[in-house]
Structure formats: C-alpha cells, structure tokens
Amino acid sequence: MHPVRKQRLLIVLFVVLFSSAAAGLVMYALSGNINLFFPPADIAQGKAPVGQPIRVGGMVVADSVQRSDNSLAVTFELTDYTANVSVVYEGILPDLFGEGQGAVAAGRLNEQGVLVATEVLAKHDENYMPPEVADALEQSGFDHKGNAR
Amino acid sequence: MIPELGHFALIIGFCLALILATVPAWGAWRRNSRAMALAPGLALGLLVFVAISFACLSIAFLQDDFSVKVVASNSNSLLPPVYKFSAVWGNHEGSLLLWALILSLWTSAVAVFSAQLPLLVLARVLSVMGAVGVGFLSFLLLTSNPFARLLPGTPADGNDLNPLLQDPGLIIHPPLLYMGYVGFSVAFAFAIAALLGGRLDASWARWSRPWTNAAWAFLSLGIMLGSWWAYYELGWGGWWFWDPVENASFMPWLAGTALLHSLAATEKRGLFKSWTLLLAIFAFSLSLLGTFMVRSGVLTSVHAFATDPARGLFILVFLALVVGGSLTLYALRAPAVSSRVSFDWVSRESLILCNNVVFLVATITVLFGTLFPLIMDALGAGKYSVGPPYFNAVFVPLMALLVPFMGLGPVARWKRDSVRRWRSELLFPTVVAVLCGLTLPLFNADYNLWVALAVALSAWLVLGLSRDLWYRVRGAVSLAAGLRRITPSYWGMFLAHLGFAACVTGIVATSQYNIEHDLKMSPGDTETLAGYEFRFVELVPVRGPNFLADEARVEVYRNGEFVARLAPQKRRYMATGQVMTEAAIDPGLFRDLYVAMGEPIGEDGAWAIRLHYKPMVRWMWLGAILMGLGGFTTVFDKRYRRLRSPAAVSASEAAHGV
C-alpha cells in the first residue's frame, strides 16, 4: 500500500477508535446524569419514579412557604392547579423565588411523595416563565393565575 | 426622526451587502478585475452605513426615546448613561445589530489590511463575508427591526434593563464575544474562497492564520469575562454552569482551538488541508448556531419557534443555507485541495492530530449534551435536562488526555523526530513535575489526588516550555539578544500554553478545595471558614441611583488580624421591583473570600448568608487572559505582513521552526 494511504488508514482507525471510546463515555455519563420533568399532576397519579433524579415545576402555592427558625430548611408546595407537590429544601432560594411565581425544583421523590430538592430554580426576570412550568400549566388547562382557560 | 434615519441606513447597508455578495463574486468568476476591485470600497461603505444605523439606535437609547419599542422595553430614564448605552445590545434586536456592525468591522479590516492578497482571493473573501452580511441584515430588517416604533401609545417611561445586565462586565462581554464569533467568519470566508478557487497553499494558510488567531483571542477573552461576570453577579459563586448559553460560546472556541492548530500544520507542512477547511466551516457554523440558539428563544422552549414562526423559520433556513451550502461546496471541491504529504508518527504533526481529535470530540460531546434536551423535546419524548455532571464526566478526562500531548508539542520537531530526543529533552521536566505533584499540595492543604495530578501536568507544561525557550535563547550573545530573536508566533504559543496550564491548575484547585457554607446569621454573629473569621457587624439600608438595598457589613479576620471589610447587598430595583443579590468579594491571587446575602429569616434581623472560600479561582481567568494575549501576540509576526517572496519565507520558517 502507498505509504500516504496507509498512514491515512491508520489515522482513520485511530479516530474511529477514539471516537467510539468517547461515545461510550458520553452514553455512560448521560445515563446517570439526565433528569426528566414531571408536572405535579403526573406525580399525584404516581407516574414519577421514587428515588430517581427528577424535576418538578409549577406555581408556588400562596402561604405554603415555611422557613425553619434555626436553619435554612424550607418547605413549600408547587401546583399546576390540578395537583400539589410538597417540596423540602435546605439552602438559599433564588432571588426571584416567591409565592404565586413559577419555580422548578430538582431532586428525588421520597416514599411519602415529597420532593427532596437539591436545587430550586426560579425565573431570570419578570417576564419569563420557566418553559416546563408554562407547558405544565397549559396541559392542566389553567393560566398562571389559576384561571381556567 | 433619528430612528428612521437608522432604519434607512440599515436598508442602504443591506443593499451594499447585496452588491458586495454578488458583483465581486461574479467578477472573480468571469475574471473581471473592475468588478473585483469594487469589493474593498463596498466593504467600507457597508461599515459606514451599519455604523450610522448603530449610532442612531444608541442615540435613541441615550436620549430615552421611548417611542422606539426596544428602548421602551429595555431602558429607563433612571438608568445610568453607561448602562443606557450597553442596553443597546442587551436585547434581541440590538444585539443582532451589534453582530452586523462587528461583521462589517471585520469585513473592512480584511479589505484594509490585505494589501498582499491577490485581488482574486480578496474579492472572493469579501464576497463571502458580504453574503453572511446579507443574511444577518435581512434577518434584522424582516423579522427583528430594532427601530420599530410604538406610535401611538408611547409609554412615559421604559421597562428598565434587566438588573443582572447592569454591570461593567456586561458592557464589554457581548462585544468581545461577538468579535470572536464573527471573527471566525473571516476564516470561513477564506475557506470558501479556497474551495471556490480550488487552490490552497502555504500562503493561503499564512493569510488566514492571523485572522483566526485574533478571533480566537477575542473569543477566549469574551468567554472569560462571561464566566467572571457569572461569578460575581449571579450571587452564588459559580463560574461555569454548562448552561446552554455558555456552551453556545464554548463550542466555537473548542472548534476554533482545533482550527488554529491544524492551520499551523497546513502552513508549515502543507498537511491536513481539507481538514483545516472543514474545521473553518465547522467553527463558523457553531458560531452561527450559538448566536441563534441564544437569540431565537429556542433554549427557553422549542415552542418559542411556534410563537414567532417568522424568526424561527428564517434562522433554520439561514443555518441550512450556510452549513449545507458550504458542506456541498466542500464535498465538490475538497479533493482538489487535499494534500499528499506524509509524516513520521513521532513528529509534531501527529501531536497536532491528537490535539485536533481531542478538541473535535470535546466539541461534539458538548454539542450533543446541549442539543439533546432540544431534540428530545422536539420529538415529544419528554423534557430532559442534561446537568453539569454529564459535561464534567466527559470533558475532564478529555482535557486530562490532552495535556501530555500538549507538553510534547512545542518540543517536537516537524516531519520526523525521535523518541530518544523527546526523552532527553523532557526527562528533567518530567521528574520535577512529578516531584511538584507529590509535594506541592502538602504545603497548605490536605493531599488531594486531583490537585496533585493537575499540578504535575501543569508543571510539566510550564517546565517543558521554559526549557524549550531556554534552548532557543542560550545560543545568542546576550539574553536580551536571544529573547529578541524569538518570533511573536513563538511568544504567542508560549503565553497561550502557559495560560492553559494556569487555567487547569485554577479550575482543579478551586473545584477541589472550595469551601461553601450557607447559614443563618444575625448582626453580631461570627462564623469561621478555612481559618477566616467572618463577623456580621451590622445591617444598613442603602440607596443607589435606581435601586434600594439592604447592605450587610461583614468584617473578616484571620488569627485576630483584620483582612477585609465586605459589604454584600440585596437590591430592589425601583422600575421593575426586581430583587437582586450583589455579592461582595475579597479577591486574592491564591484565594477569594465571597459573601452573598440570601433572604431575611425570622423577625430579629437574621439573614441567610452565603460564605465561600475559593482558592486560586483567579488563576482560571488569568490563564484565559494569557491565552487571549497569546492569540493577539501571534498576529504581530512579521511573516504575516510580508509581501509574497516564498524563498525568504521558507528560509525564516526553517530558522524558527514554529
């Protein structure tokens, strides 16, 4: 074989092997690190897995936010106006988190159906609604103030 | 009146871009030198009119002309003037206008600084850039007119700029980032010109290298500023989130890094020619994809397309035209430019090949992780999110794999080298690096395997580079004479590789040794973190130009000695009522102390407080600055400005070997 061709073949083989290794790594990393979004209605129906990383989003129910007096623990409820999900979280909430506002919590569901959150996300600015929340509300047939469409 | 003038200038700019995209290209095809000679003038004209348009929009912002829609939704009369100006690109329409302005800047720069380019090549390059300009200007004019008015119904005051964007870092971050994104359009245009002409030689690589390096340097600085901004402005002390918006800027950088190394091999050895062209197309396509991903709202939701079908459709068609068109051209013409040069396995070429494979695979894994949620959502398979653990799991091993090759690269010779020579060159650096890895982490903190590995690898890079520099300098009469003999190209490589080593050290050290503590504190409380004692002295109300704030006064002591006084704030902006955290940082070369306020808890004036101790976090940004400086330094190499005299050029290449 012509030496240039042979070299090219070896390069291609090297690239293919390396890319396959990388693709394997990608699949492995992906399998453990993606999480799926569930609206509160799905969780109430038991569609969400217990103990798996998931995200839940909805509007924060008015008067549901309760802070502990001596730690950063906080509990609140998320709703899509069809069902509610209780969330427990320990830490600092984002600036735009508030009752009657949209929020997304990431964590795992425990046996009691309470989401133990490791991260709480609120919107970036006043006009923005987390897209999953907007969709969940649309599916449940309410707008963000809880009025039926 | 002024907005209409801006709109009119934009239309003239569009017409000029249209002429630039067609007439010189036709001239290059028919070998009509009069048509080709029009290109530089048209490029300058394009710059003038887009600049007028941009100036008109800036005036509308500075004069609080709330009858203009983007001004009304993104500015406010209380906003400090400098933020009124930066608000010009703090929105979709304005930032696209900035894109168009920067594109015409680069186009004019090519027209002005390319006296040594043959007219045929120059006409093709400028035409391609004009065509990209046509795409962007028509996108602006048809779907995102920045000069749309609110008449009647002009509001009395504007909506205000998002408080997160009211920050000095955000004044220069977008322009720098766009200089980088758009800069790759020059490399892209050169690649398309080479494909059209069917010729690609060493002088082609020499023309396109400085442009690529400059764009890459701008992009490095832009990304670094974005990371730094996120660190001090978002209020939770993170500096990289693998957020789709960040990935959008990072992917062109990764592809661009592969490109500038592959260009080196193309220039010096006539190797990887068609591969280099493909990378140039790839880097610019990723820049376009990044701009549009951030700008189209597709990240907020794939359904954003449905709410504004005109924009979404335009973007899809434009991307398909650019990517599909250039790849088709590539498929037709690449065989004409491919190289037939062989090289030894033990050589600098094969190391550059490793660099390219690693960077390309890294780009693709990031692209995959970024697009995966969008694809799944578009297919209706559920709303997934791909978190930082995925990116870290994939990206960190790739970069760790890269560094050993990177240490060899500058030492290795082109074409053929020997393992024995590598061994003798690098034995000393290797031994010292391993010693550094074994002992360094013992000095101030617990032994940490990852930090030890990072320190060893970085030390290996730095020592290998320093030794190589020393060998290049020592033959001269004096040290100064020796240093003068080194070309800007070499200095650029040296700085950029040093910067990479600093980055690696900083990122690993800060990720591993970082201590974060969120807790409840009342005025009078103290808390100790990593030997630093944080005293919450008092809480005071503060009034800013357009916000009211609660300010916590925190004093930091170490072993009883005063270190710093920090004053984080929780602001409420008056126009929107939006609440924002303003962190307070005591910066240092070896550690940052970071305090931010969470929310008030209970009745007695207690607050949730975030205390962070971040060792060596600045090294990462300093490293990125070094990389940027390195990129700019290479541009000053004399051989890029010399008129073509092949004999002299190849002689100097043989002498420097860079």
Side-chain angles (χ1 to χ4, degrees):
Chain A
M1 213 189 307
H2 190 279
V4 173
R5 281 214 181 142
K6 189 174 169 192
Q7 184 162 40
R8 213 168 268 174
L9 182 69
L10 284 171
I11 291 175
V12 168
L13 276 178
F14 164 70
V15 171
V16 166
L17 278 178
F18 185 77
S19 313
S20 331
L25 189 64
V26 164
M27 287 307 153
Y28 171 74
L30 203 57
S31 64
N33 295 307
I34 53 172
N35 57 46
L36 193 52
F37 177 86
F38 291 93
D42 283 10
I43 292 178
Q45 290 169 25
K47 284 185 187 166
V50 172
Q52 298 281 320
I54 58 165
R55 282 172 303 137
V56 180
M59 308 304 290
V60 180
V61 177
D63 299 326
S64 73
V65 180
Q66 287 181 342
R67 273 250 169 239
S68 149
D69 278 339
N70 46 19
S71 74
L72 294 183
V74 58
T75 65
F76 57 89
E77 289 193 4
L78 289 173
T79 183
D80 57 2
Y81 302 110
T82 309
N84 289 10
V85 173
S86 297
V87 180
V88 297
Y89 176 67
E90 178 144 4
I92 294 176
L93 293 167
D95 284 341
L96 290 168
F97 180 89
E99 293 179 348
Q101 308 278 0
V104 174
R108 292 166 200 264
L109 219 52
N110 68 11
E111 298 291 336
Q112 288 77 43
V114 174
L115 186 79
V116 183
T118 50
E119 193 180 14
V120 175
L121 305 167
K123 46 195 188 167
H124 294 295
D125 69 46
E126 293 289 314
N127 306 320
Y128 172 81
M129 174 71 81
E132 299 101 328
V133 177
D135 254 33
L137 292 180
E138 195 169 308
Q139 276 173 23
S140 69
F142 290 90
D143 70 12
H144 64 280
K145 292 194 178 69
N147 304 318
R149 281 174 208 265
Chain B
M1 183 60 208
I2 286 174
E4 277 67 35
L5 196 67
H7 194 183
F8 188 60
L10 201 59
I11 294 171
I12 297 181
F14 170 75
C15 297
L16 289 177
L18 204 58
I19 303 172
L20 178 61
T22 46
V23 173
W26 174 83
W29 179 45
R30 306 299 304 185
R31 296 290 188 277
N32 180 329
S33 38
R34 273 171 62 200
M36 288 194 278
L38 285 176
L42 285 168
L44 290 174
L46 176 64
L47 173 63
V48 168
F49 281 97
V50 176
I52 290 175
S53 176
F54 189 82
C56 289
L57 188 63
S58 308
I59 291 171
F61 268 91
L62 289 170
Q63 291 184 338
D64 294 327
D65 187 349
F66 296 121
S67 69
V68 177
K69 196 170 164 228
V70 289
V71 181
S73 16
N74 296 288
S75 187
N76 183 280
S77 53
L78 286 178
L79 204 60
V82 64
Y83 297 133
K84 280 181 185 166
F85 182 56
S86 70
V88 173
W89 52 81
N91 60 81
H92 170 80
E93 289 83 356
S95 75
L96 280 173
L97 186 58
L98 179 70
W99 216 101
L101 175 70
I102 289 176
L103 178 69
S104 47
L105 263 176
W106 279 106
T107 313
S108 297
V110 173
V112 170
F113 294 111
S114 293
Q116 83 275 35
L117 267 178
L119 185 58
L120 190 64
V121 176
L122 183 65
R124 284 193 182 119
V125 168
L126 291 179
S127 261
V128 173
M129 298 189 71
V132 175
V134 168
F136 268 86
L137 291 173
S138 53
F139 185 56
L140 268 165
L141 288 170
L142 296 176
T143 70
S144 324
N145 180 11
F147 299 103
R149 293 267 206 175
L150 290 172
L151 291 174
T154 301
D157 207 338
N159 256 341
D160 206 2
L161 179 65
N162 186 336
L164 283 173
L165 305 183
Q166 298 182 22
D167 179 85
L170 255 272
I171 301 174
I172 41 176
H173 164 66
L176 275 181
L177 205 58
Y178 279 14
M179 283 299 280
Y181 275 169
V182 186
F184 284 131
S185 71
V186 184
F188 171 78
F190 270 100
I192 297 296
L195 285 171
L196 286 172
R199 271 194 60 210
L200 198 165
D201 47 22
S203 46
W204 176 87
R206 201 155 49 244
W207 297 324
S208 97
R209 256 185 105 179
W211 299 104
T212 311
N213 291 3
W216 179 86
F218 276 118
L219 192 56
S220 308
L221 293 180
I223 294 174
M224 169 251 149
L225 263 178
S227 154
W228 183 48
W229 167 80
Y231 172 71
Y232 69 73
E233 189 69 16
L234 293 184
W236 24 300
W239 37 266
W240 191 261
F241 308 102
W242 293 109
D243 179 274
V245 176
E246 291 170 327
N247 293 349
S249 67
F250 197 44
M251 291 185 289
W253 186 88
L254 290 170
T257 312
L259 171 63
L260 57 92
H261 286 94
S262 150
L263 260 176
T266 307
E267 185 199 346
K268 294 301 177 189
R269 297 270 296 119
L271 262 174
F272 310 145
K273 282 182 180 173
S274 43
W275 174 244
T276 301
L277 293 178
L278 195 60
L279 279 178
I281 294 172
F282 197 47
F284 182 61
S285 304
L286 286 172
S287 296
L288 282 184
L289 182 73
T291 312
F292 283 139
M293 266 190 352
V294 176
R295 281 292 133 219
S296 67
V298 67
L299 292 175
T300 337
S301 162
V302 273
H303 309 297
F305 264 10
T307 53
D308 197 345
R311 278 185 193 170
L313 204 63
F314 193 105
I315 288 168
L316 278 182
V317 170
F318 186 63
L319 263 178
L321 275 179
V322 172
V323 180
S326 48
L327 287 182
T328 310
L329 183 67
Y330 178 82
L332 292 175
R333 302 302 292 267
V337 297
S338 68
S339 45
R340 288 229 152 240
V341 186
S342 78
F343 56 91
D344 204 78
W345 285 111
V346 182
S347 65
R348 188 182 278 189
E349 285 91 328
S350 59
L351 294 168
I352 285 185
L353 185 69
C354 291
N355 156 301
N356 270 244
V357 173
V358 170
F359 271 103
L360 199 69
V361 169
T363 315
I364 291 169
T365 53
V366 175
L367 182 67
F368 178 75
T370 311
L371 293 185
F372 182 80
L374 297 180
I375 296 168
M376 295 307 270
D377 198 6
L379 294 177
K383 294 180 183 304
Y384 286 91
S385 87
V386 178
Y390 159 79
F391 292 100
N392 291 336
V394 177
F395 198 74
V396 172
L398 279 174
M399 287 300 119
L401 192 67
L402 180 73
V403 180
F405 298 121
M406 201 174 155
L408 283 171
V411 179
R413 290 190 177 137
W414 292 107
K415 199 165 181 179
R416 172 167 301 205
D417 206 334
S418 73
V419 176
R420 182 185 298 176
R421 202 184 72 83
W422 284 1
R423 207 182 295 148
S424 69
E425 286 263 336
L426 288 169
L427 185 65
F428 172 70
T430 311
V431 170
V432 179
V434 170
L435 279 179
C436 282
L438 289 176
T439 56
L440 254 194
L442 291 176
F443 277 97
N444 53 1
D446 323 324
Y447 195 82
N448 180 305
L449 188 65
W450 298 112
V451 179
L453 196 64
V455 166
L457 287 173
S458 306
W460 196 55
L461 282 186
V462 173
L463 289 166
L465 280 170
S466 315
R467 191 183 150 91
D468 189 54
L469 180 67
W470 168 243
Y471 273 71
R472 278 160 197 268
V473 168
R474 67 172 179 177
V477 242
S478 69
L479 185 67
L483 287 176
R484 261 201 305 278
R485 207 167 58 182
I486 303 223
T487 60
S489 281
Y490 186 83
W491 279 127
M493 183 279 292
F494 189 83
L495 285 176
H497 281 209
L498 275 191
F500 190 85
C503 240
V504 168
T505 316
I507 288 173
V508 176
T510 194
S511 318
Q512 296 294 323
Y513 286 148
N514 162 46
I515 303 175
E516 305 185 357
H517 202 167
D518 297 350
L519 75 165
K520 177 184 160 181
M521 283 180 99
S522 309
D525 285 0
T526 57
E527 173 74 13
T528 307
L529 191 73
Y532 291 91
E533 190 187 317
F534 293 78
R535 294 187 193 160
F536 187 175
V537 181
E538 56 176 346
L539 188 75
V540 286
V542 173
R543 193 189 166 89
N546 54 349
F547 60 85
L548 298 170
D550 285 314
E551 185 174 291
R553 302 271 167 83
V554 179
E555 290 179 352
V556 187
Y557 293 84
R558 180 163 204 188
N559 302 327
E561 275 179 53
F562 177 78
V563 176
R565 185 171 285 120
L566 296 169
Q569 294 181 339
K570 190 63 124 189
R571 294 179 178 173
R572 175 174 288 275
Y573 281 80
M574 287 180 263
T576 51
Q578 189 169 331
V579 175
M580 235 202 54
T581 307
E582 192 75 11
I585 301 168
D586 179 46
L589 190 56
F590 291 99
R591 59 105 190 92
D592 270 22
L593 300 175
Y594 186 105
V595 182
M597 297 167 80
E599 62 241 77
I601 306 173
E603 308 296 314
D604 55 344
W607 278 72
I609 301 276
R610 208 186 275 282
L611 301 177
H612 287 197
Y613 164 74
K614 294 197 170 291
M616 298 181 81
V617 63
R618 309 246 142 199
W619 284 52
M620 150 174 76
W621 302 311
L622 288 175
I625 292 175
L626 280 181
M627 287 192 236
L629 283 180
F632 287 126
T633 310
T634 58
V635 177
F636 294 100
D637 203 302
K638 273 193 236 109
R639 72 175 190 276
Y640 297 136
R641 262 175 309 287
R642 196 178 298 131
L643 290 172
R644 281 174 305 147
S645 71
V649 169
S650 52
S652 82
E653 275 161 22
H656 298 306
V658 176

